[in-house]
Amino acid sequence: MLKIGILGCGRIGQVHARSIRNLDDARVVAVADAMLPAAEALAAKTGAEIRTADAIIAADDIDAVVIGTPTDTHFDLIQGAATAGKAIFCEKPVDMSADRIRDCASTVAAAGVPFLTGFNRRFDPSFAGIEARIREGEIGEVEIVTILSRDPSPPPLSYIASSGGLFRDMMIHDLDMARFLLAEEPVQVFAVGSALVDSEIGRAGDVDTAAVTLTTASGRICQISNSRRATYGYDQRIEVHGARGLLRAENQLENSVEVATGAGFRRAPARNFFLERYEAAYLAEMRHFVDAVLSGKPPRPSIEDGLRAQLLADAAARSLETDLPVRP
Ligand SMILES: NC(=O)c1ccc[n+]([C@@H]2O[C@H](COP(=O)([O-])OP(=O)(O)OC[C@H]3O[C@@H](n4cnc5c(N)ncnc54)[C@H](O)[C@@H]3O)[C@@H](O)[C@H]2O)c1
């Protein structure tokens, strides 16, 4: 039985608590949140105790922590939890700064504690299926990966201002997916971007529409298309073109009914956003973390995967600024 403390009882902390409730070899022992009502609500749902984050990190009756607090708090919590010998499941991005992620990676390595970076999309059954079929050689050598990733609508401007920008906040998931599917490190990043959805996002110094091309040393290419708006729901599609064929995962729709009339074919919108679209992925991600920690195997994606994705996001931001291809 893995005894877990949840740090941060907001949107993602609640998702992870629900996943843990679905596992019979893991239990939420305690929850912490800077806002007491958030902790109380999750404690009521899980039957866990309310403690402070520091008390959870120091507790003898807790083996692992799930860090689901805002990104700028991850660093201190990782340092504390690693030093206290806790296994760590940390939401993405690990931190906004690659140097600080390196510091965390050193602490985690010195402490020898298991660490998972929360790139949940690797656990989506369709995307994991694509990766498995690539490795089984079903389409031969990978040549071009296309990732289409568009949110239904932009977050509030207040969020944009502190988000670290589209590449570090949103595209980071796609940059990790690119590494996962290419299985080779990109050596060049070229980014273009605009504020087409909301000019206020542009005035805040960010973009809401972006395309990035990644190239690996052997010449494999990945194209990522991001938008902060999609009128038809949360648009999450992947296509991998290889020497002997194609693997493709389409959007998941709210239902599978199709209407055909003389006016044409009509289907439901895509599932609305990440909580619904990636429900199965969040559960599989937690299943993997618990299995890995209980069996003494390193969980994946690792903190190094968190760092690599961050370096690609930093390179994309630099490429946009300079209008030039950048080496990550
Ligand atoms: N993998 C994913 O799909 C995914 C989705 C959403 C968010 N995230 C990541 O998860 C993290 C949290 O995002 P969210 O959307 O759940 O935010 P949120 O604002 O909904 O929840 C964060 C919670 O943490 C609490 N908190 C703040 N500082 C704290 C501290 N020092 N100790 C304890 N609690 C504290 C807040 O009161 C809040 O309840 C971010 O890093 C975000 O990037 C990942």
Side-chain angles (χ1 to χ4, degrees), residues 7-13 16 32-35 38 53 67-74 77 91-93 118-120 159 169 173 274-275 278 282 285:
L7 310 179
C9 305
R11 289 186 307 174
I12 207 69
H16 295 318
D33 197 287
M35 309 294 286
I67 302 179
T69 53
T71 303
D72 60 1
T73 65
H74 292 181
L77 296 173
E91 262 313 328
K92 53 55 61 179
F119 287 128
N120 54 294
Y159 177 88
D169 173 54
H173 276 294
F274 58 89
L275 297 177
Y278 287 117
Y282 292 122
E285 182 185 36

Side-chain angles (χ1 to χ4, degrees), residues 197-234:
V197 176
D198 183 350
S199 54
E200 287 296 327
I201 292 179
R203 274 192 276 283
D206 199 2
V207 294
D208 52 37
T209 308
V212 160
T213 304
L214 307 167
T215 314
T216 68
S218 72
R220 290 179 183 161
I221 295 167
C222 174
Q223 293 176 302
I224 300 172
S225 168
N226 273 180
S227 172
R228 292 279 196 188
R229 174 182 58 203
T231 54
Y232 43 89
Y234 188 34

